[in-house]
Every structure is written in C-alpha cells, then in structure tokens.
Amino acid sequence: MQLLRPATMAALAAALLLLTMASTTTNAHNITGILAKHPEFSTFNHYLTLTHLAAEINQRTTITVCAVNNAAMDDLLSKHPSITTVKNILSLHVLLDYFGAKKLHQITNGTALAATMYQATGTAPGSAGFVNITDLRGGKVGFGAENNDGTLSASFVKSVEEIPYNISIIQISKVLPSAAAEAPAPAPAQQNLTAIMSKHGCKIFADTLSATPDAYSTFTDNLDGGLTVFCPVDDAFKAFLPKFKNLTAAGKVSLLEFHAVPVYQSIATLKSSNGVQNTLATDGANKYDFTVQNDGDKVTLKTRGVTARIIDTLIDEQPLAIFAIDKVLLPKELFKAAEAPSPAPAPEPSAADAPKAAKKKKKPKTKAADAPADDSSDAPADSPDDAADQTADDSNGAVRFDGGGVVMGLALMVGFLLL
C-alpha cells in the first residue's frame, strides 16, 4: 500500500487539475453576481436582469458597465418609462471596451468616444449609441451621450470591480440623458405577429395561427408580459400540414401554442440559459416542454421526436422575439406513439415453433405502437434516435457528470503512468 501512495497522490493531483480545467466556463464574469455584493446598485442590477441585458453582458469578453446607484435609478423610474425604453437607456451605460480607473485618467488626447451596447442593437440613430468620455481638470472624468450637444452630464465616482481586461464596473454620478434612447417604444399591441412571420418566410405557420382563434388569442394575450415565438419556415410547415389536419381541434391548438414561450428571451439569453422551457401549451400534468441547447452560436430546440435549429431572427425587441426554425416542433404528448418506428412485418410462427417465439421476445419494439401516448416508461420501445433525444432532454448537470467521468478516467491513467 505504501508503494502505491505516490502514484495515488499523483493521480489525485492530476484529477484535481483536469477537473479544474474542465469546470472552467466560457463566461469569465457574472454581472449580477458581482453587483449583488453592492446593495447600493440593487435597482440597477434588477433592471439588468429584467431587460435581459445581464445575459448579453455576460456573453461579452471586453466590456465596461457604468452603474448608477439606487437614487439615480429612482430618478429615471419616476418618469415611468416602458421596459423597452429602460433597456435602451441602460444599454447606453454598457461600453464595448475596457475602461478601468487607471485608463480613464490616461485617455489619449484627453477624450475618447466609446461605442455602447445601444449602438450594437442597430436601432440607435446616427451617433446616438456612443458615449463621450473626457479626462477633466482636477482628476475628474466626465461622461455624456454623444447626441447630447457635447454636455458631460455625469462624472466618474469610483471603480466598483475590475477584472483586467475583461470587465470593468465603474460608478457614474447619474443616468446619461439621451433623447434617442428615451424615445417611447411602440406598444406591444401594435406589433402584428402574423405580419412579421409572413414577411420573413413563415407565412404558412402565420396563416394557420390566424385561422385558429383560440391559439391566436393566447399568443396576443401574452404580448404585454413578454413572448418568444419559434415559427417553422414554410417548407417545414407545408410538409407537416397533412399531420396537422389529422389532429383534433384541441391538438391543433396545443401544437401551435407549443411553438411559443410566455416570456421574452433574446437570442443571447437562449445561448446562455440552456435547459427545459415551458410553453404556452403547458398545463399542469400536460408538460408540453422542450429543451434548449446551444453549441457555440447555434441554438437547437429538442423534443422526444425532433431537433429543430434556429436559423433566423425575425424580431428581437423587448417584449417580443420571433425566431425562424427549420423544423416543426413535435410535442411528445401528441406524437410520441405516432413517431415510434413501426416493426417490419414478420411471418406468423407456428404453435410448435417455440425457439422462434423466444427470439421474438427480443424485439420489444413490436409493443411501441400499442403504448399509451402519455406513458414515459416505455424506454425499450424507443429507437436509437429517441434514446439520443432522451439524453438531450436530461439536465446540463448530467452532461457535466459524464464529462467528469471521462476526466477522472484520464486522471487515473496519468496517475498509473507516474508509477
């Protein structure tokens, strides 16, 4: 046993090293986690989450957040801006470059023009999405929206936290005024869902939704509170229409409602928050959910019967996002039994043909067609594709566990090599 101790220690050391490397995430910072340590920014932090800016900030690798305290946020909120307007204003406070305290006092030629996340949205007119930063006399640094007649309305207060050269969080004295960012956004009710879909390659789905009043009203009723729609492109839904027409009236409503989530989720949020999503069709025991997974810039939606991919963004503006997908989503509540592969016909065995009868017992797929649609315990009836989808339905933690098993295996191999 004593002879094995050095190797064991080497294996454990290698395992710890590899596990540490494997656990490193792609996001080097978490803006809400950082600001949570500073209660004077709790309102600012809350609205970063509510507007989904937090997720977009966490996707960036070089960024500066100009935070304002609760009193400054109260001044902004007293004007009762819409959530879209708040997002535009706060986007102006997220600079797409790194400005730590030291850099702010060493700006070349004393002035810098920084692009912001508001500029990156493409909705900021002209230079409205830029912020002027100027190093002033007496050790002060001024900030002002570029379209604010050159007025430096806010000043640098302190550095909150810096991770060079990844993220810098600094406090400025007040919210930056901007006529463009503060302009009223169109009311959600003014957004024509089906018109947007029809103009961008999802006309058949849009027409079907319009012709199904119960589903259409559910979509529009959720606009004010936030809505994310995944509409199949025309080729995909046209091929699916024969199956759709064979559904019951309730099934048609559920199928359409299965293609929308009752919250607004930007593409950045979908990329950073993998997992199970409830839909408009979710109702108690009828889960009607699917799993969002991403691989880099690709985002997929997985059900037991199909994996669809987001291929285009039709609109992504709080409180509405509509994404085009390449396949129709098939809820297991409607299609699980129907999607199970049918067994090939086999000759009837004779009564005396006991060995052949025993062999038939090795084909559990022959019972799949008779299984109830809502029975999730018929794992032997699933095809290999079904099994793959079932794995995809598992939580991300399960995937990390499998990866951890591989890492541990590698670590043990390293340990034995050191013997």
Side-chain angles (χ1 to χ4, degrees):
M1 291 299 294
Q2 291 181 349
L3 293 176
L4 292 178
R5 284 178 182 172
T8 302
M9 292 176 66
L12 290 173
L16 289 172
L17 176 62
L18 291 173
L19 283 172
T20 301
M21 295 171 61
S23 65
T24 302
T25 61
T26 56
N27 296 334
H29 54 258
N30 183 325
I31 181 63
T32 53
I34 295 173
L35 288 177
K37 297 181 291 184
H38 304 274
E40 66 269 31
F41 304 114
S42 59
T43 305
F44 182 83
N45 197 16
H46 170 72
Y47 277 91
L48 287 183
T49 300
L50 192 63
T51 59
H52 299 278
L53 278 173
E56 297 177 32
I57 291 170
N58 291 341
Q59 289 288 314
R60 301 277 182 167
T61 54
T62 303
I63 205 156
T64 300
V65 178
C66 301
V68 295
N69 63 20
N70 295 340
M73 283 298 296
D74 288 343
D75 290 340
L76 169 63
L77 298 175
S78 66
K79 302 174 184 177
H80 306 290
S82 70
I83 192 66
T84 303
T85 300
V86 173
K87 181 175 183 179
N88 288 341
I89 294 171
L90 296 189
S91 295
L92 192 64
H93 292 67
V94 183
L95 313 180
L96 303 182
D97 198 354
Y98 182 86
F99 288 93
K102 182 177 180 180
K103 183 177 178 179
L104 288 174
H105 292 287
Q106 296 178 345
I107 296 175
T108 304
N109 299 323
T111 298
L113 199 61
T116 69
M117 195 167 281
Y118 181 42
Q119 182 69 24
T121 64
T123 61
S127 61
F130 289 86
V131 168
N132 184 321
I133 307 172
T134 300
D135 189 9
L136 303 171
R137 293 181 62 182
K140 295 182 179 181
V141 179
F143 292 77
E146 177 62 11
N147 67 333
N148 196 28
D149 299 325
T151 302
L152 301 175
S153 55
S155 59
F156 172 72
V157 177
K158 66 180 180 181
S159 174
V160 178
E161 188 154 340
E162 299 180 19
I163 306 177
Y165 290 85
N166 186 327
I167 184 172
S168 171
I169 303 174
I170 61 176
Q171 181 185 357
I172 61 176
S173 58
K174 60 178 66 176
V175 173
L176 300 175
S178 167
E182 295 171 13
Q190 296 175 5
Q191 299 284 11
N192 189 320
L193 291 172
T194 54
I196 295 171
M197 294 182 217
S198 296
K199 290 179 181 178
H200 296 85
C202 298
K203 187 177 188 306
I204 299 177
F205 180 83
D207 290 346
T208 305
L209 180 61
S210 296
T212 313
D214 287 347
Y216 182 75
S217 64
T218 302
F219 275 64
T220 56
D221 288 347
N222 280 272
L223 264 177
D224 287 343
L227 182 68
T228 304
V229 181
F230 304 96
C231 59
V233 294
D234 284 341
D235 287 346
F237 205 77
K238 183 178 180 180
F240 175 74
L241 276 178
K243 290 184 179 180
F244 181 79
K245 291 177 180 177
N246 286 333
L247 293 173
T248 64
K252 291 176 181 177
V253 172
S254 294
L255 187 283
L256 294 172
E257 292 178 350
F258 187 61
H259 286 75
V261 174
V263 292
Y264 164 74
Q265 298 197 64
S266 66
I267 190 65
T269 302
L270 292 171
K271 289 178 180 179
S272 62
S273 58
N274 295 349
V276 175
Q277 298 276 345
N278 287 341
T279 67
L280 293 180
T282 301
D283 181 19
N286 297 318
K287 292 184 178 180
Y288 280 101
D289 54 31
F290 55 75
T291 300
V292 174
Q293 292 187 329
N294 77 289
D295 181 11
D297 287 336
K298 296 180 181 179
V299 179
T300 59
L301 314 177
K302 294 178 180 284
T303 72
R304 181 69 63 85
V306 73
T307 297
R309 182 169 58 94
I310 294 178
I311 57 176
D312 195 12
T313 299
L314 310 191
I315 184 173
D316 188 355
E317 298 176 6
Q318 177 87 15
L320 174 65
I322 304 178
F323 304 104
I325 56 177
D326 61 352
K327 296 178 183 178
V328 177
L329 299 175
L330 304 179
K332 62 186 178 182
E333 287 81 0
L334 296 177
F335 291 98
K336 181 182 178 184
E339 293 301 313
S342 300
E348 287 290 334
S350 63
D353 195 4
K356 290 183 179 179
K359 289 181 180 179
K360 278 192 72 65
K361 291 182 180 179
K362 297 181 181 179
K363 298 180 180 180
K365 290 183 179 181
T366 57
K367 295 183 179 180
D370 297 329
D374 59 349
D375 185 2
S376 59
S377 62
D378 56 349
D382 292 336
S383 67
D385 288 340
D386 290 336
D389 286 338
Q390 178 62 49
T391 301
D393 286 340
D394 290 340
S395 65
N396 292 333
V399 176
R400 289 195 294 269
F401 178 81
D402 292 340
V406 173
V407 170
M408 288 300 294
L410 291 172
L412 289 174
M413 292 176 64
V414 172
F416 284 120
L417 288 174
L418 295 175
L419 287 172

